[in-house]
């Protein structure tokens, strides 16, 4: 099977910022490395996991387990992006899927960040990937389909702050968005 990665940075940046801003507005958040095996109750990582799992439960797919390994990988890439002022997917993800989000530093909650991915669900229709977008363009739903991919079992996310922006990187294993596979 062929895996198709997430949307190019600029498309993701625009779509994710508009979706998150319209859905939740500004809110303060406390960031941290999201690498603990079992996210602390009420902590940033736990809130990211809960936001993912709320949508997975709504769609009737199994809940994610938190992966410290994926979170550590995500932290390295988030820090790289923040330092370099770039917004692009990692070339080497060791078989993991990846979603990226970027927003004004300190203004978004973990839930608002994940809602940037979830909001793409308005364009989703069940079917075989990549023919699962009501718009006819899989880039409009690529983050969402990774989030609800039925065979994906683990997630790990991390945030890093640049000069003006927070960058969220979420890694998923096994990767979703496999061409020809059923989703939804």
């Amino acid at each position: 099977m062929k895996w198709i990665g997430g949307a190019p940075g600029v498309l993701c940046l625009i779509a994710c910022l508009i979706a998150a801003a319209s859905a939740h507005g500004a809110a303060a958040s406390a960031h941290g490395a999201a690498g603990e095996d079992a996210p602390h109750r009420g902590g940033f990582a736990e809130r990211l996991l809960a936001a993912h799992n709320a949508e997975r439960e709504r769609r009737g797919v199994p809940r994610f387990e938190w992966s410290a390994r994926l979170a550590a990988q995500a932290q390295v890439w988030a820090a790289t992006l923040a330092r370099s002022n770039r917004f692009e997917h990692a070339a080497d993800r060791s078989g993991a899927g990846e979603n990226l989000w970027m927003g004004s530093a300190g203004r978004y909650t973990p839930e608002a960040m994940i809602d940037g991915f979830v909001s793409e669900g308005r364009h989703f229709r069940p079917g075989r990937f990549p023919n699962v977008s009501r718009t006819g363009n899989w880039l409009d739903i690529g983050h969402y389909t990774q989030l609800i991919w039925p065979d994906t079992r683990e997630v790990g996310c991390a945030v890093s702050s640049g000069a003006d922006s927070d960058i969220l990187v979420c890694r998923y294993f096994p990767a979703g968005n496999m061409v020809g596979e059923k989703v939804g």
Side-chain angles (χ1 to χ4, degrees), residues 92-105:
D92 179 18
R93 296 184 288 252
S94 303
E98 179 176 82
N99 280 349
L100 304 177
W101 177 93
M102 177 187 272
S104 298

PDB file of all heavy atoms in Angstrom, residues 92-105:
ATOM      1  N   ASP A  92      11.679  11.608   7.432  1.00  0.00           N
ATOM      2  CA  ASP A  92      11.775  10.278   8.037  1.00  0.00           C
ATOM      3  C   ASP A  92      10.897  10.225   9.279  1.00  0.00           C
ATOM      4  O   ASP A  92      11.175  10.886  10.273  1.00  0.00           O
ATOM      5  CB  ASP A  92      13.222   9.961   8.404  1.00  0.00           C
ATOM      6  CG  ASP A  92      13.359   8.594   9.058  1.00  0.00           C
ATOM      7  OD1 ASP A  92      12.436   7.761   8.932  1.00  0.00           O
ATOM      8  OD2 ASP A  92      14.401   8.360   9.702  1.00  0.00           O
ATOM      9  N   ARG A  93       9.836   9.422   9.180  1.00  0.00           N
ATOM     10  CA  ARG A  93       8.922   9.286  10.314  1.00  0.00           C
ATOM     11  C   ARG A  93       8.866   7.846  10.813  1.00  0.00           C
ATOM     12  O   ARG A  93       7.984   7.502  11.598  1.00  0.00           O
ATOM     13  CB  ARG A  93       7.534   9.771   9.924  1.00  0.00           C
ATOM     14  CG  ARG A  93       7.515  11.255   9.588  1.00  0.00           C
ATOM     15  CD  ARG A  93       6.127  11.741   9.303  1.00  0.00           C
ATOM     16  NE  ARG A  93       5.606  11.285   8.040  1.00  0.00           N
ATOM     17  CZ  ARG A  93       5.438  12.065   6.974  1.00  0.00           C
ATOM     18  NH1 ARG A  93       5.739  13.336   7.028  1.00  0.00           N
ATOM     19  NH2 ARG A  93       4.951  11.578   5.861  1.00  0.00           N
ATOM     20  N   SER A  94       9.765   7.008  10.354  1.00  0.00           N
ATOM     21  CA  SER A  94       9.851   5.617  10.811  1.00  0.00           C
ATOM     22  C   SER A  94       8.516   4.895  10.754  1.00  0.00           C
ATOM     23  O   SER A  94       8.126   4.193  11.683  1.00  0.00           O
ATOM     24  CB  SER A  94      10.421   5.568  12.236  1.00  0.00           C
ATOM     25  OG  SER A  94      11.672   6.188  12.289  1.00  0.00           O
ATOM     26  N   GLY A  95       7.772   5.083   9.675  1.00  0.00           N
ATOM     27  CA  GLY A  95       6.503   4.395   9.483  1.00  0.00           C
ATOM     28  C   GLY A  95       5.318   5.010  10.197  1.00  0.00           C
ATOM     29  O   GLY A  95       4.226   4.457  10.170  1.00  0.00           O
ATOM     30  N   ALA A  96       5.522   6.142  10.826  1.00  0.00           N
ATOM     31  CA  ALA A  96       4.430   6.817  11.535  1.00  0.00           C
ATOM     32  C   ALA A  96       3.789   7.860  10.634  1.00  0.00           C
ATOM     33  O   ALA A  96       4.440   8.431   9.764  1.00  0.00           O
ATOM     34  CB  ALA A  96       4.958   7.486  12.809  1.00  0.00           C
ATOM     35  N   GLY A  97       2.508   8.113  10.861  1.00  0.00           N
ATOM     36  CA  GLY A  97       1.833   9.229  10.219  1.00  0.00           C
ATOM     37  C   GLY A  97       2.140  10.500  11.011  1.00  0.00           C
ATOM     38  O   GLY A  97       2.634  10.439  12.136  1.00  0.00           O
ATOM     39  N   GLU A  98       1.838  11.639  10.428  1.00  0.00           N
ATOM     40  CA  GLU A  98       2.162  12.901  11.097  1.00  0.00           C
ATOM     41  C   GLU A  98       1.150  13.975  10.733  1.00  0.00           C
ATOM     42  O   GLU A  98       0.825  14.160   9.573  1.00  0.00           O
ATOM     43  CB  GLU A  98       3.559  13.349  10.667  1.00  0.00           C
ATOM     44  CG  GLU A  98       4.020  14.658  11.268  1.00  0.00           C
ATOM     45  CD  GLU A  98       5.439  14.976  10.879  1.00  0.00           C
ATOM     46  OE1 GLU A  98       5.638  15.501   9.756  1.00  0.00           O
ATOM     47  OE2 GLU A  98       6.355  14.663  11.667  1.00  0.00           O
ATOM     48  N   ASN A  99       0.665  14.667  11.750  1.00  0.00           N
ATOM     49  CA  ASN A  99      -0.151  15.865  11.562  1.00  0.00           C
ATOM     50  C   ASN A  99       0.585  17.038  12.177  1.00  0.00           C
ATOM     51  O   ASN A  99       1.181  16.911  13.254  1.00  0.00           O
ATOM     52  CB  ASN A  99      -1.521  15.725  12.242  1.00  0.00           C
ATOM     53  CG  ASN A  99      -2.517  14.928  11.432  1.00  0.00           C
ATOM     54  OD1 ASN A  99      -2.290  14.623  10.268  1.00  0.00           O
ATOM     55  ND2 ASN A  99      -3.629  14.590  12.045  1.00  0.00           N
ATOM     56  N   LEU A 100       0.517  18.182  11.504  1.00  0.00           N
ATOM     57  CA  LEU A 100       1.140  19.411  11.977  1.00  0.00           C
ATOM     58  C   LEU A 100       0.089  20.487  12.165  1.00  0.00           C
ATOM     59  O   LEU A 100      -0.887  20.556  11.411  1.00  0.00           O
ATOM     60  CB  LEU A 100       2.157  19.930  10.960  1.00  0.00           C
ATOM     61  CG  LEU A 100       3.280  18.998  10.524  1.00  0.00           C
ATOM     62  CD1 LEU A 100       4.126  19.681   9.453  1.00  0.00           C
ATOM     63  CD2 LEU A 100       4.133  18.572  11.706  1.00  0.00           C
ATOM     64  N   TRP A 101       0.314  21.339  13.145  1.00  0.00           N
ATOM     65  CA  TRP A 101      -0.555  22.484  13.405  1.00  0.00           C
ATOM     66  C   TRP A 101       0.335  23.643  13.848  1.00  0.00           C
ATOM     67  O   TRP A 101       1.349  23.427  14.522  1.00  0.00           O
ATOM     68  CB  TRP A 101      -1.550  22.151  14.513  1.00  0.00           C
ATOM     69  CG  TRP A 101      -2.448  23.279  14.899  1.00  0.00           C
ATOM     70  CD1 TRP A 101      -3.688  23.534  14.404  1.00  0.00           C
ATOM     71  CD2 TRP A 101      -2.186  24.294  15.857  1.00  0.00           C
ATOM     72  NE1 TRP A 101      -4.212  24.654  14.997  1.00  0.00           N
ATOM     73  CE2 TRP A 101      -3.304  25.145  15.898  1.00  0.00           C
ATOM     74  CE3 TRP A 101      -1.101  24.587  16.688  1.00  0.00           C
ATOM     75  CZ2 TRP A 101      -3.380  26.257  16.736  1.00  0.00           C
ATOM     76  CZ3 TRP A 101      -1.166  25.696  17.516  1.00  0.00           C
ATOM     77  CH2 TRP A 101      -2.297  26.506  17.533  1.00  0.00           C
ATOM     78  N   MET A 102      -0.047  24.867  13.475  1.00  0.00           N
ATOM     79  CA  MET A 102       0.700  26.050  13.897  1.00  0.00           C
ATOM     80  C   MET A 102      -0.285  27.157  14.235  1.00  0.00           C
ATOM     81  O   MET A 102      -1.288  27.346  13.537  1.00  0.00           O
ATOM     82  CB  MET A 102       1.631  26.524  12.780  1.00  0.00           C
ATOM     83  CG  MET A 102       2.403  27.795  13.113  1.00  0.00           C
ATOM     84  SD  MET A 102       3.328  28.414  11.677  1.00  0.00           S
ATOM     85  CE  MET A 102       4.830  27.489  11.893  1.00  0.00           C
ATOM     86  N   GLY A 103      -0.013  27.881  15.309  1.00  0.00           N
ATOM     87  CA  GLY A 103      -0.849  29.005  15.700  1.00  0.00           C
ATOM     88  C   GLY A 103      -0.060  29.995  16.536  1.00  0.00           C
ATOM     89  O   GLY A 103       1.067  29.722  16.960  1.00  0.00           O
ATOM     90  N   SER A 104      -0.639  31.147  16.786  1.00  0.00           N
ATOM     91  CA  SER A 104       0.004  32.189  17.583  1.00  0.00           C
ATOM     92  C   SER A 104       0.418  31.642  18.943  1.00  0.00           C
ATOM     93  O   SER A 104      -0.368  30.972  19.617  1.00  0.00           O
ATOM     94  CB  SER A 104      -0.943  33.376  17.783  1.00  0.00           C
ATOM     95  OG  SER A 104      -1.268  33.948  16.541  1.00  0.00           O
ATOM     96  N   ALA A 105       1.631  31.948  19.349  1.00  0.00           N
ATOM     97  CA  ALA A 105       2.203  31.413  20.581  1.00  0.00           C
ATOM     98  C   ALA A 105       1.325  31.726  21.791  1.00  0.00           C
ATOM     99  O   ALA A 105       0.917  32.865  21.999  1.00  0.00           O
ATOM    100  CB  ALA A 105       3.608  31.965  20.793  1.00  0.00           C
TER     101      ALA A 105
END
